[in-house]
Every structure is written in C-alpha cells, then in structure tokens.
Amino acid sequence: AQSVTQLDSQVPVFEEAPVELRCNYSSSVSVYLFWYVQYPNQGLQLLLKYLSGSTLVKGINGFEAEFNKSQTSFHLRKPSVHISDTAEYFCAVSTLRGTASKLTFGTGTRLQVTL
Amino acid sequence: ETGVTQSPTHLIKTRGQQVTLRCSSQSGHNTVSWYQQALGQGPQFIFQYYREEENGRGNFPPRFSGLQFPNYSSELNVNALELDDSALYLCASSLDRGPTDTQYFGPGTRLTVL
C-alpha cells in the first residue's frame, strides 16, 4: 500500500527566509509524486510534479523539490518565502488502483509566513 | 480554457438526508475523481469516473455514488447522511486516467451535516 508522511504539521518562517517542507513516501510500485498548495477556502493548486528524469523539479511561484529514491523523500523548498506563500501544502503519490489513478495525500503542512 | 468548477459552495443538511454535489470538468478531460477532505486532514479518494463509467473506488460505502455525463459534468451523491460526512468535497478532472495525468482540482463544496 502507498502512504505519504509529512513530518511537520506546521512550519513558521519569517518573510524572505528559506523554507523546506518535508515529505516521505512509501510505495511498492513506480512512483509519481506531486505537491499541491491549498489557500484558505480554496481547492488544491498544483505546484510541481515528479514523473521521471531529473530528480530536481521546478514548479510555480519559485518552489522546487528533489526526489530522493534512496531516502524515499520528496522535500519541497523555496529559497525566499513571501507572505503570500502562507497556505497548506500537501504532498501526494499517484498510483493505479485497478484501472483508476488515485492520489494518496499526506496530512498537510501549514506554512505560516510572518514579517 | 475554463477551470474546474463546483456547486454549491456550501451546503447544510441533516442526518439521514440525501445530497447531490456537482462538478464541471475542464473541456476535453475524460476523467473525474472525487475526494473527501475532513477538517485538518488530506483529501481521501472516493472514486473515479472515466468516460461515464466508475473506474475505481476508495474505501467508501455504496451510499456514496456518482455519475459522469458526456458534457464534462459530474455528480457525487451521498445517501443517508451521517455526521462524519461533514467535510470539503473536491472534484478533480484529468485528461486521462493514468497515474501520470495531472489532476486539476475545483474549489470544493463544504458539506455540513447536523
């Protein structure tokens, strides 16, 4: 069975500081990984995804993530955060369940950016 | 290109009632998936529809059912509502049903069961 663990439920950070949101996964099959962001009272927006190839993936809004197969991790990073980055961030693994593709999400990390 | 839309935004029901939530997928997307997001949790997969047929289901009872229509709209129906059904319900559309196909989410419907 697939699972995703987001080790930090909340990450407070000052504006313009770097941030890393941690994600570990377990999967017995091919791994396809996603990071989504959820702003208050909104749906999920795709930040970036890893399907294959280069292990360093760049996404929108200056975010990037690195796939590490040996450590089964897919941590999200940003070198300098902005107040507007305050949101809930979800890591997810995509797998096949029969013929259906399903996303299995972690419990989320709340990023709180302050001045 | 329009995004994924959902209606209504909010809904309040009482235990035992039935509810229908609606979703409009992006044009050209053959696949729609529904997720339940309880407060403080990540979304949980309910089921997926591909070309108007149920393509896969998560660990949800049969009182959760759905429909997908040729015009890229879909419905999630929940019968015999329970208090634990209170959650944000998200639909997501994708071009196809493979695990590498990006799922694009709507804003969700907040369901409260009293």
Side-chain angles (χ1 to χ4, degrees), chain A:
Chain A
Q2 298 73 36
S3 67
V4 174
T5 302
Q6 292 185 245
L7 297 167
D8 306 298
S9 59
Q10 293 189 64
V11 173
V13 63
F14 290 112
E15 192 176 37
E16 297 184 4
V19 70
E20 178 180 83
L21 306 183
R22 297 181 292 170
C23 171
N24 287 87
Y25 68 90
S26 68
S27 176
S28 57
V29 295
S30 298
V31 177
Y32 309 107
L33 295 159
F34 298 75
W35 274 99
Y36 284 87
V37 60
Q38 186 173 36
Y39 298 102
N41 301 313
Q42 294 188 27
L44 301 174
Q45 180 183 1
L46 178 69
L47 277 178
L48 49 78
K49 60 185 178 183
Y50 171 77
L51 303 180
S52 65
S54 173
T55 57
L56 183 63
V57 180
K58 294 191 182 297
I60 63 171
N61 301 340
F63 284 94
E64 64 181 32
E66 186 160 15
F67 171 63
N68 188 319
K69 188 174 182 178
S70 62
Q71 297 188 7
T72 61
S73 67
F74 189 54
H75 300 333
L76 181 71
R77 301 185 183 100
K78 186 170 183 177
S80 176
V81 295
H82 190 265
I83 289 284
S84 60
D85 292 323
T86 294
E88 192 84 21
Y89 291 78
F90 291 96
C91 180
V93 60
S94 179
T95 53
L96 274 176
R97 185 184 175 97
T99 57
S101 59
K102 60 170 276 190
L103 290 169
T104 301
F105 288 87
T107 51
T109 297
R110 170 81 177 159
L111 176 63
Q112 182 68 50
V113 183
T114 55
L115 294 172

Side-chain angles (χ1 to χ4, degrees), chain B residues 16-105:
Chain B
Q17 285 188 311
Q18 178 266 342
V19 68
T20 297
L21 310 182
R22 293 180 172 83
C23 172
S24 180
S25 300
Q26 288 190 17
S27 179
H29 283 194
N30 292 318
T31 304
V32 64
S33 305
W34 286 89
Y35 292 82
Q36 180 195 66
Q37 185 179 16
L39 204 60
Q41 300 296 317
Q44 300 285 320
F45 176 71
I46 302 174
F47 46 55
Q48 183 178 84
Y49 276 76
Y50 173 72
R51 298 187 184 230
E52 302 161 47
E53 293 196 4
E54 186 177 300
N55 186 46
R57 171 177 283 266
N59 298 323
F60 282 81
R63 60 188 184 86
F64 285 78
S65 63
L67 288 170
Q68 185 187 24
F69 303 102
N71 64 351
Y72 305 111
S73 67
S74 57
E75 293 179 355
L76 165 65
N77 300 289
V78 187
N79 293 321
L81 283 167
E82 301 177 359
L83 297 179
D84 285 348
D85 295 334
S86 294
L88 181 68
Y89 288 85
L90 298 162
C91 78
S93 75
S94 52
L95 269 174
D96 212 324
R97 56 181 173 171
T100 60
D101 289 289
T102 299
Q103 296 189 24
Y104 297 91
F105 284 81

